[in-house]
Structure formats: C-alpha cells, structure tokens
Amino acid sequence: MAKASATRRPPVRRRPGAPAKAAAARPAGVRGWIGASRPRTLPLAIAPVALGTGAVWAQRLPGQYWLAFLALAVALLLQIGVNFANDYSDGVRGTDRYRVGPARLTASGAAKPRTVLAAAIVCFALAAVAGLVIVIVTRQWWLLAVGAAAIAAAWFYTGGKRPYGYAGFGEIAVFLFFGVAATAGTSFVIAGVVTAESWFCSLAIGCIASAVLVVNNLRDIEQDAAAGKRTLSVRIGATGSRILFGVLMGIPFLVVGYLAIFYPLASLVFLVLLLAAPAVLITATAKTARELILALSLTGLTALVYGLGLAAALSF
C-alpha cells in the first residue's frame, strides 16, 4: 500500500522591503512603552544641554537661563521620538527580525505599527511646540529651520525610502544634532552667543554620542548586514568599529585636559575614565552581544556623568 504524502504548499515569497507578519504577542503595558522609549539613550539628550548651559555660565554671561529647561524638553522629546520612529520603521521594514537586543514593540507585535508611529509623531510635535516657544522668546526665527532639520533627521534616520542610517551616516547625524546643535544651540538660546567652551563641549559630547551608536551597531553588525542595513560598522567592519569607538571615547578626555588649564576643577572629570575605560576595553575584546550591551550601557552612563561633571566644573 502506497504511503500517502501531504500536499506541499509553495513557499510564500515576501515582497522586498515588506514587513514580516509579527507573531502574536501580549499588548504592551506601561512598562513596555517605557522600555520602548529606551531610557538608556536619554543621557545623550541631557548631557549636551547641561554642557551648553555650563559653558555660558562659565563666562558669567547674562541670559535667560530658564530657556535651558525648554531646550532640555526639546532634546528629550526628540530622543524619545526618534526611538519610537526607529521602532516603527525598522519593524515595518522587517529589519528588527534580525535584532539581538531587546524586542521592539512593532516587530514583536506588542503594539500596532500605527500606534507606535503616532507615539513618535506626538513626541516630535511636542518638541516642535517647545522649540517654537524658544523661537518666540528669543526672536531668532532662523532657529525654526534648525528645528525642522532636527525633526527631519530624526525621522529619516530609519524612515523614508532611503534612510541615511541604512547608508552609514548615522554617526555623523548624531554628532551634529546631539553634539553641536544641542550644546552650542543651548548656549545660543540662553545668551545669544556660542562661547569657545561650548564648541569644545560640543566636540566632546558629540564624540561620546557617536560612540554610543558605534557600539550599538557593532553589536548588530552581522544582523544588519543580513538585513541589508549598511551601517558604518557594516562598512568598516568589526575591527574598524572597535578602533573608531576607542578614538571617539578618547577625544573627550583630550578636551578635558585642555579645559583643565583654564578651569582646574575640570581635571576631576578624568574620574569618568573609570566608566569610559572599561567600555573601551570591553568593546575591544567582546565576543558576545551581551558584552557589547554592557559596553553600551557604560557608554551611555559615561555621557551622562561626563556632561554633568564637566558642566559643573565650568560653572564653579
């Protein structure tokens, strides 16, 4: 008697760029949404605003220092907004199927894509409102263009038809917006000028912010390559990424050495090497994603302590 064979269905071919259907998952609660906002990235918004404020106070310049709180609101909302936007864009593209880090809302099916997109839009809108208040108070109308560019950069990092984050330009954007624009911009809206201290601080915190992205992309280098995501780490390889990370983490301490000549308390910021050095060592020798996640956490903490510490040193 012949053995009956099951009818085979032809494999389902997914259109390139189309999202894979997310597996059923429990709807995200408050904790899930907080996790999706990626609190560990928030130091990248706090540190530059603190440094920009400290840089103008170092010269005891007159200004509207309360605007620093609005600048902080803009930075935080943009950071959270870009995190939700990345969750949405990577999720609908199917890129997050290759992730080794924490699960995302869209890719896991814990939230509908439209809901995650709406969360991103709300954050961008609130950032725009805070920025508009700054523009009205300072009457620097050209800052509207800077704000629009920041929101566009946040969206097109992974959004749109040709996201620049998929082409290896993410680190440059992070340096410009979470380094130069956030730090020098805070100084400008407070006092109407950008001091030399502010430019040096922009360089320093911009390097640390870029280092955060480098180690994050180093962790996902194989998965991103498989997904067709040509990040800088994919382009220069693991060894190049480890070297670049070390350079980016070293430059801020060269800045501290220079500023310590004029602000002796700045030398205390060298204590932050207790966080930065292990991050560099782990990144240089890591063989697992878990190790790189630890390096990522240390780098984010470095950004926060470095920013607050140097801002305080310049202020006293």
Side-chain angles (χ1 to χ4, degrees), residues 32-293:
W33 280 96
I34 292 175
S37 71
R38 300 170 69 186
R40 292 181 181 179
T41 66
L42 299 187
L44 303 183
I46 298 170
V49 174
L51 286 169
T53 305
V56 292
W57 182 248
Q59 299 290 334
R60 300 299 187 268
L61 296 176
Q64 302 182 83
Y65 284 85
W66 65 273
L67 288 176
F69 293 102
L70 282 177
L72 179 61
V74 171
L76 286 171
L77 287 166
L78 283 177
Q79 181 65 66
I80 296 172
V82 76
N83 290 339
F84 284 137
N86 291 349
D87 189 305
Y88 167 78
S89 296
D90 284 342
V92 298
R93 288 178 188 277
T95 308
D96 276 345
R97 291 180 302 145
Y98 301 89
R99 278 179 57 80
V100 296
R104 298 278 183 86
L105 291 177
T106 305
S108 67
K112 294 180 179 180
R114 289 184 179 180
T115 305
V116 180
L117 176 60
I121 292 174
V122 167
C123 289
F124 291 150
L126 291 174
V129 170
L132 183 60
V133 174
I134 291 175
V135 169
I136 293 173
V137 171
T138 62
R139 296 185 179 180
Q140 298 291 339
W141 303 104
W142 61 272
L143 288 175
L144 289 173
V146 177
I151 293 175
W155 171 252
F156 288 108
Y157 174 59
T158 56
K161 293 183 178 179
R162 294 184 178 180
Y164 66 87
Y166 281 48
F169 298 108
E171 286 78 3
I172 295 174
V174 166
F175 179 85
L176 292 175
F177 287 99
F178 285 95
V180 179
T183 308
T186 298
S187 294
F188 186 80
V189 300
I190 289 174
V193 297
V194 181
T195 65
E197 291 86 350
S198 185
W199 289 121
F200 279 111
C201 289
S202 296
L203 169 64
I205 200 62
C207 284
I208 299 177
S210 296
V212 168
L213 189 55
V214 169
V215 71
N216 181 77
N217 289 340
L218 175 60
R219 180 197 66 191
D220 296 333
I221 191 169
E222 294 181 3
Q223 293 75 22
D224 286 341
K229 188 175 182 179
R230 303 282 294 172
T231 63
L232 182 60
S233 289
V234 171
R235 290 180 177 275
I236 66 177
T239 300
S241 298
R242 296 176 200 273
I243 294 172
L244 177 60
F245 180 82
V247 171
L248 290 172
M249 292 294 280
I251 290 174
F253 294 96
L254 294 178
V255 171
V256 167
Y258 175 75
L259 291 177
I261 298 173
F262 309 98
Y263 301 92
L265 286 178
S267 59
L268 294 175
V269 181
F270 280 117
L271 292 173
V272 183
L273 282 168
L274 295 173
L275 294 170
V280 172
L281 181 60
I282 292 170
T283 301
T285 60
K287 292 185 170 104
T288 66
R290 185 181 296 273
E291 292 172 284
L292 291 172
I293 290 173

